Short mmCIF file of all heavy atoms in Angstrom, two decimals:
data_model
loop_
_atom_site.label_atom_id
_atom_site.label_comp_id
_atom_site.label_asym_id
_atom_site.label_seq_id
_atom_site.Cartn_x
_atom_site.Cartn_y
_atom_site.Cartn_z
N GLY A 5 107.41 82.30 55.25
CA GLY A 5 108.47 83.30 55.25
C GLY A 5 108.87 83.72 56.65
O GLY A 5 110.06 83.90 56.94
N TYR A 6 107.90 83.88 57.52
CA TYR A 6 108.17 84.26 58.92
C TYR A 6 109.04 83.21 59.61
O TYR A 6 110.05 83.53 60.25
CB TYR A 6 106.86 84.45 59.67
CG TYR A 6 106.96 84.32 61.16
CD1 TYR A 6 107.62 85.28 61.93
CD2 TYR A 6 106.41 83.22 61.82
CE1 TYR A 6 107.72 85.14 63.32
CE2 TYR A 6 106.50 83.08 63.20
CZ TYR A 6 107.16 84.04 63.94
OH TYR A 6 107.26 83.91 65.30
N HIS A 7 108.65 81.95 59.48
CA HIS A 7 109.40 80.88 60.14
C HIS A 7 110.80 80.73 59.54
O HIS A 7 111.77 80.48 60.28
CB HIS A 7 108.63 79.56 60.04
CG HIS A 7 107.47 79.46 60.98
ND1 HIS A 7 107.62 79.14 62.31
CD2 HIS A 7 106.15 79.67 60.78
CE1 HIS A 7 106.43 79.11 62.90
NE2 HIS A 7 105.52 79.45 62.00
N LEU A 8 110.92 80.89 58.22
CA LEU A 8 112.24 80.80 57.59
C LEU A 8 113.13 81.95 58.04
O LEU A 8 114.32 81.75 58.33
CB LEU A 8 112.12 80.80 56.07
CG LEU A 8 113.45 80.78 55.31
CD1 LEU A 8 114.23 79.50 55.61
CD2 LEU A 8 113.22 80.93 53.81
N ALA A 9 112.57 83.15 58.11
CA ALA A 9 113.35 84.31 58.54
C ALA A 9 113.88 84.09 59.96
O ALA A 9 115.07 84.33 60.25
CB ALA A 9 112.50 85.58 58.49
N LYS A 10 113.03 83.61 60.85
CA LYS A 10 113.46 83.33 62.22
C LYS A 10 114.62 82.35 62.25
O LYS A 10 115.61 82.53 62.99
CB LYS A 10 112.29 82.75 63.03
CG LYS A 10 111.35 83.79 63.63
CD LYS A 10 110.27 83.13 64.47
CE LYS A 10 110.85 82.22 65.54
NZ LYS A 10 109.78 81.56 66.35
N ARG A 11 114.52 81.30 61.46
CA ARG A 11 115.57 80.27 61.44
C ARG A 11 116.88 80.84 60.88
O ARG A 11 117.97 80.60 61.45
CB ARG A 11 115.09 79.08 60.60
CG ARG A 11 116.17 78.07 60.27
CD ARG A 11 116.75 77.35 61.49
NE ARG A 11 117.84 76.47 61.09
CZ ARG A 11 117.66 75.22 60.65
NH1 ARG A 11 116.44 74.70 60.59
NH2 ARG A 11 118.70 74.49 60.30
N MET A 12 116.81 81.58 59.80
CA MET A 12 118.03 82.08 59.18
C MET A 12 118.67 83.20 60.01
O MET A 12 119.89 83.36 60.02
CB MET A 12 117.77 82.51 57.75
CG MET A 12 117.29 81.37 56.87
SD MET A 12 117.66 81.54 55.14
CE MET A 12 119.41 81.13 55.09
N ILE A 13 117.85 83.96 60.71
CA ILE A 13 118.38 84.94 61.66
C ILE A 13 119.16 84.22 62.75
O ILE A 13 120.28 84.59 63.10
CB ILE A 13 117.23 85.77 62.28
CG1 ILE A 13 116.59 86.69 61.25
CG2 ILE A 13 117.75 86.58 63.47
CD1 ILE A 13 115.26 87.27 61.69
N ALA A 14 118.56 83.17 63.29
CA ALA A 14 119.20 82.39 64.36
C ALA A 14 120.49 81.73 63.89
O ALA A 14 121.44 81.57 64.67
CB ALA A 14 118.23 81.33 64.89
N ASP A 15 120.54 81.38 62.60
CA ASP A 15 121.73 80.75 62.03
C ASP A 15 122.84 81.76 61.75
O ASP A 15 123.94 81.38 61.32
CB ASP A 15 121.38 80.00 60.74
CG ASP A 15 120.61 78.71 61.02
OD1 ASP A 15 120.52 78.31 62.20
OD2 ASP A 15 120.11 78.10 60.05
N GLY A 16 122.56 83.06 61.95
CA GLY A 16 123.60 84.07 61.83
C GLY A 16 123.73 84.74 60.48
O GLY A 16 124.67 85.51 60.25
N HIS A 17 122.80 84.48 59.56
CA HIS A 17 122.85 85.13 58.26
C HIS A 17 122.35 86.58 58.36
O HIS A 17 121.62 86.93 59.29
CB HIS A 17 121.97 84.37 57.25
CG HIS A 17 122.42 82.97 57.02
ND1 HIS A 17 123.58 82.66 56.36
CD2 HIS A 17 121.87 81.78 57.39
CE1 HIS A 17 123.72 81.34 56.31
NE2 HIS A 17 122.69 80.78 56.93
N ASP A 18 122.74 87.40 57.41
CA ASP A 18 122.15 88.73 57.28
C ASP A 18 120.87 88.57 56.47
O ASP A 18 120.92 88.25 55.28
CB ASP A 18 123.12 89.68 56.56
CG ASP A 18 124.30 90.06 57.43
OD1 ASP A 18 124.14 90.10 58.66
OD2 ASP A 18 125.40 90.28 56.89
N VAL A 19 119.74 88.77 57.12
CA VAL A 19 118.44 88.47 56.51
C VAL A 19 117.68 89.76 56.23
O VAL A 19 117.56 90.63 57.10
CB VAL A 19 117.61 87.54 57.43
CG1 VAL A 19 116.27 87.21 56.78
CG2 VAL A 19 118.40 86.27 57.75
N PHE A 20 117.15 89.84 55.01
CA PHE A 20 116.28 90.94 54.61
C PHE A 20 114.91 90.37 54.28
O PHE A 20 114.79 89.47 53.44
CB PHE A 20 116.85 91.68 53.40
CG PHE A 20 118.03 92.55 53.71
CD1 PHE A 20 119.25 91.99 54.04
CD2 PHE A 20 117.92 93.93 53.69
CE1 PHE A 20 120.34 92.79 54.34
CE2 PHE A 20 119.00 94.74 53.99
CZ PHE A 20 120.21 94.16 54.32
N GLY A 21 113.89 90.88 54.95
CA GLY A 21 112.53 90.44 54.69
C GLY A 21 111.79 91.46 53.85
O GLY A 21 111.97 92.66 54.00
N LEU A 22 110.95 90.96 52.96
CA LEU A 22 110.12 91.82 52.09
C LEU A 22 108.72 91.26 52.08
O LEU A 22 108.53 90.05 51.96
CB LEU A 22 110.71 91.86 50.68
CG LEU A 22 109.98 92.66 49.59
CD1 LEU A 22 110.98 93.09 48.50
CD2 LEU A 22 108.84 91.87 48.94
N ASP A 23 107.73 92.14 52.21
CA ASP A 23 106.34 91.70 52.16
C ASP A 23 105.45 92.89 51.82
O ASP A 23 105.73 94.01 52.24
CB ASP A 23 105.91 91.11 53.51
CG ASP A 23 104.73 90.17 53.38
OD1 ASP A 23 103.61 90.64 53.09
OD2 ASP A 23 104.91 88.95 53.58
N SER A 24 104.39 92.64 51.07
CA SER A 24 103.45 93.72 50.74
C SER A 24 102.41 93.92 51.84
O SER A 24 101.72 94.94 51.89
CB SER A 24 102.72 93.39 49.43
OG SER A 24 101.86 92.27 49.59
N ILE A 25 102.29 92.94 52.74
CA ILE A 25 101.29 92.95 53.83
C ILE A 25 99.90 93.26 53.27
O ILE A 25 99.20 94.17 53.74
CB ILE A 25 101.66 93.95 54.96
CG1 ILE A 25 103.16 93.89 55.26
CG2 ILE A 25 100.87 93.63 56.23
CD1 ILE A 25 103.60 94.82 56.39
N ASN A 26 99.50 92.50 52.26
CA ASN A 26 98.15 92.72 51.70
C ASN A 26 97.08 92.15 52.64
O ASN A 26 97.39 91.47 53.62
CB ASN A 26 98.04 92.13 50.29
CG ASN A 26 98.12 90.61 50.27
OD1 ASN A 26 97.78 89.92 51.22
ND2 ASN A 26 98.61 90.06 49.16
N ASP A 27 95.83 92.42 52.33
CA ASP A 27 94.74 92.04 53.23
C ASP A 27 94.00 90.79 52.76
O ASP A 27 92.81 90.63 53.03
CB ASP A 27 93.76 93.20 53.40
CG ASP A 27 93.13 93.64 52.07
OD1 ASP A 27 93.49 93.06 51.01
OD2 ASP A 27 92.30 94.56 52.09
N TYR A 28 94.69 89.88 52.09
CA TYR A 28 94.08 88.62 51.67
C TYR A 28 93.51 87.87 52.88
O TYR A 28 92.47 87.24 52.82
CB TYR A 28 95.10 87.77 50.93
CG TYR A 28 94.69 86.33 50.71
CD1 TYR A 28 93.57 86.03 49.94
CD2 TYR A 28 95.42 85.28 51.26
CE1 TYR A 28 93.18 84.71 49.74
CE2 TYR A 28 95.04 83.97 51.06
CZ TYR A 28 93.93 83.69 50.31
OH TYR A 28 93.54 82.39 50.12
N TYR A 29 94.23 87.93 53.99
CA TYR A 29 93.68 87.44 55.26
C TYR A 29 94.05 88.42 56.36
O TYR A 29 94.73 89.43 56.11
CB TYR A 29 94.14 86.01 55.58
CG TYR A 29 95.64 85.80 55.71
CD1 TYR A 29 96.34 86.17 56.86
CD2 TYR A 29 96.35 85.17 54.69
CE1 TYR A 29 97.69 85.95 56.99
CE2 TYR A 29 97.72 84.94 54.81
CZ TYR A 29 98.38 85.34 55.96
OH TYR A 29 99.73 85.11 56.08
N ASP A 30 93.62 88.17 57.58
CA ASP A 30 93.78 89.07 58.72
C ASP A 30 95.21 89.59 58.85
O ASP A 30 96.13 88.84 59.18
CB ASP A 30 93.38 88.31 59.99
CG ASP A 30 93.42 89.19 61.24
OD1 ASP A 30 93.68 90.41 61.11
OD2 ASP A 30 93.19 88.65 62.33
N ILE A 31 95.39 90.89 58.60
CA ILE A 31 96.74 91.45 58.64
C ILE A 31 97.29 91.50 60.07
O ILE A 31 98.51 91.64 60.25
CB ILE A 31 96.81 92.87 58.02
CG1 ILE A 31 95.90 93.85 58.76
CG2 ILE A 31 96.49 92.82 56.54
CD1 ILE A 31 96.06 95.28 58.27
N ASN A 32 96.43 91.35 61.07
CA ASN A 32 96.92 91.33 62.45
C ASN A 32 97.83 90.12 62.70
O ASN A 32 98.77 90.18 63.50
CB ASN A 32 95.76 91.31 63.44
CG ASN A 32 95.01 92.63 63.45
OD1 ASN A 32 95.63 93.70 63.46
ND2 ASN A 32 93.69 92.57 63.44
N VAL A 33 97.55 89.02 61.98
CA VAL A 33 98.42 87.85 62.08
C VAL A 33 99.78 88.18 61.47
O VAL A 33 100.83 87.83 62.01
CB VAL A 33 97.78 86.63 61.39
CG1 VAL A 33 98.74 85.44 61.39
CG2 VAL A 33 96.47 86.25 62.07
N LYS A 34 99.77 88.88 60.33
CA LYS A 34 101.03 89.26 59.68
C LYS A 34 101.83 90.21 60.55
O LYS A 34 103.05 90.06 60.71
CB LYS A 34 100.75 89.89 58.31
CG LYS A 34 100.05 88.95 57.34
CD LYS A 34 99.82 89.61 55.99
CE LYS A 34 99.11 88.66 55.04
NZ LYS A 34 98.91 89.24 53.70
N TYR A 35 101.15 91.21 61.11
CA TYR A 35 101.85 92.14 61.99
C TYR A 35 102.36 91.44 63.25
O TYR A 35 103.42 91.78 63.78
CB TYR A 35 100.92 93.30 62.37
CG TYR A 35 100.67 94.28 61.24
CD1 TYR A 35 99.41 94.83 61.04
CD2 TYR A 35 101.71 94.67 60.39
CE1 TYR A 35 99.18 95.73 60.01
CE2 TYR A 35 101.49 95.57 59.36
CZ TYR A 35 100.23 96.11 59.17
OH TYR A 35 100.01 97.00 58.16
#
């Protein structure tokens, strides 16, 4: 999702990201 958001932002789309930011793995990577 992060990489796709970056690409679609760069392509000029209006992008909305949604995430629960759960702790399944290290949330520092998500942040």
Side-chain angles (χ1 to χ4, degrees):
Y6 157 70
H7 284 280
L8 177 62
K10 276 183 54 181
R11 169 64 184 274
M12 298 207 77
I13 291 166
D15 286 350
H17 298 290
D18 289 329
V19 181
F20 285 70
L22 178 155
D23 203 291
S24 67
I25 319 181
N26 67 28
D27 60 358
Y28 167 62
Y29 60 77
D30 183 4
I31 60 173
N32 290 316
V33 175
K34 298 181 181 182
Y35 287 140

